[in-house]
Amino acid sequence: IAEAFGEGAKSDQVADLIKETEAAAIVTREAAEQARTRALDPTLCANDVAAARHQMGAVARCVGIWCGRGLR
């Protein structure tokens, strides 16, 4: 992302990056909602709940990276 806004960046490159970022945000939100719904399913066994929570954490880390927060 930083390179897209560096010296010599072209407006069409920035526009493409914005479109890609918006698309990634939509996919990430959908993945997070699916993981949340799965983790809250009362019929899941403990291992499946743990896997769903792990997936939620992975999605949260991706969101942090895309938002410039890095891994925490």
Side-chain angles (χ1 to χ4, degrees):
I1 292 175
E3 290 178 22
F5 295 101
E7 199 171 315
K10 307 239 186 285
S11 62
D12 61 329
Q13 293 171 320
V14 174
D16 289 344
L17 178 62
I18 290 169
K19 288 177 188 174
E20 290 173 18
T21 303
E22 288 172 343
I26 290 168
V27 169
T28 301
R29 275 194 297 271
E30 290 171 355
E33 185 56 35
Q34 289 174 358
R36 181 182 176 284
T37 299
R38 186 166 175 248
L40 295 174
D41 183 349
T43 64
L44 289 181
C45 68
N47 287 341
D48 290 340
V49 170
R53 288 184 181 161
H54 176 75
Q55 183 182 9
M56 287 174 56
V59 170
R61 285 188 295 280
C62 287
V63 170
I65 291 169
W66 287 334
C67 292
R69 294 185 206 134
L71 294 174
R72 291 184 183 186

